[in-house]
Amino acid sequence: MNDQITTESTVGDEATLRGLYKDPLELAVLKQLDRLDAHCRNFLAHSPFAVIGSTRPGRGTDVSPRGDAPGFARVLDDWTIAIPDRPGNNRLDTMSNIVADSEVGLLFFIPGIDETLRINGTARLSHDPELLAAAAVNGREPRLVIVVTVREAFLHCGKALKRSKLWQDDYRVEKQSFPSLGRMIVEQTRTPKVTVEQAEASVADGYANTLY
């Protein structure tokens, strides 16, 4: 596939890139804030899901999902939010990236709303007792909290979600018609040490017992 992409067809500088598009609307530029206003706060209060992008020198960029009850990204002040790190697979990709490079980008979603909230800034990992206690669910505190200092915050239009019909059933896939996570991982890794049944049981147990 790479051999079919010619050098002549590759955009390699910003001037060429900008020449292919119209200038952004004034509102698209002015909407970028340097803090969280009332609308950003309201969006975060209703959002149960986000993706966080992080980078580690020498390894590249990673994007990871984060989700919990609406408002899980708690606003501490106009420039700061705190996101609990719930139990996962312990790869710690995002966490180790943040330790190496604090730059992060976040995209927040609200089910049923096509618009999204983008936040760019820097992050640090904290085990402050008050932050951990405030993020506890069913008496279980997270090990760490990702504290994000906001540099840019702005609402993103809903064209991508409208095109994908994300909140509609047009492209919905029935769970039973799609391979399970356990099956896909076992077939990808081709490990003889774990059967599909064992992997599926492990995933099911994690979903049932270790969400928090």
Side-chain angles (χ1 to χ4, degrees):
M1 178 63 181
N2 288 340
D3 293 339
Q4 299 175 11
I5 303 176
T6 64
T7 302
E8 291 76 11
S9 67
T10 299
V11 176
D13 61 86
E14 186 160 356
T16 303
L17 170 64
R18 293 289 178 182
L20 296 172
Y21 294 85
K22 295 179 180 179
D23 290 337
L25 296 175
E26 184 178 17
L27 276 180
V29 177
L30 295 177
K31 70 179 181 179
Q32 181 175 311
L33 308 176
D34 64 355
R35 68 189 68 190
L36 303 172
D37 71 347
H39 292 297
C40 293
R41 285 171 173 260
N42 184 54
F43 201 104
L44 291 170
H46 288 83
S47 174
F49 182 75
V51 292
I52 179 170
S54 58
T55 300
R56 184 170 184 172
R59 192 170 73 180
T61 301
D62 177 77
V63 178
S64 176
R66 290 288 188 274
D68 214 325
F72 75 100
R74 190 163 65 94
V75 176
L76 303 184
D77 58 43
D78 287 352
W79 295 271
T80 317
I81 59 176
I83 304 172
D85 185 58
R86 302 300 184 193
N89 55 22
N90 292 327
R91 283 176 54 101
L92 305 182
D93 294 320
T94 298
M95 313 296 275
S96 60
N97 286 355
I98 289 172
V99 170
D101 186 335
S102 64
E103 290 289 329
V104 294
L106 296 114
L107 183 65
F108 288 90
F109 296 77
I110 299 175
I113 301 298
D114 289 327
E115 290 71 33
T116 51
L117 174 65
R118 291 170 59 178
I119 292 177
N120 298 318
T122 57
R124 57 188 172 87
L125 308 180
S126 174
H127 48 72
D128 177 84
E130 292 186 7
L131 291 178
L132 297 181
V137 174
N138 299 328
R140 296 183 179 180
E141 297 182 356
R143 291 182 182 272
L144 290 171
V145 171
I146 303 172
V147 179
V148 178
T149 299
V150 177
R151 183 177 63 250
E152 301 169 350
F154 55 96
L155 296 165
H156 195 105
C157 80
K159 288 182 179 179
L161 272 69
K162 286 183 177 297
R163 285 189 290 258
S164 67
K165 300 183 179 181
L166 188 62
W167 309 129
Q168 302 174 43
D169 288 335
D170 298 58
Y171 307 136
R172 183 181 180 86
V173 176
E174 295 302 326
K175 190 173 182 179
Q176 60 269 23
S177 70
F178 200 80
S180 69
L181 175 62
R183 173 172 294 280
M184 288 188 286
I185 291 177
V186 167
E187 292 181 355
Q188 286 175 332
T189 59
R190 299 182 181 180
T191 175
K193 298 180 180 179
V194 181
T195 66
V196 170
E197 291 73 21
Q198 289 172 327
E200 290 177 335
S202 177
V203 170
D205 179 71
Y207 288 166
N209 300 310
T210 59
L211 288 182
Y212 297 97

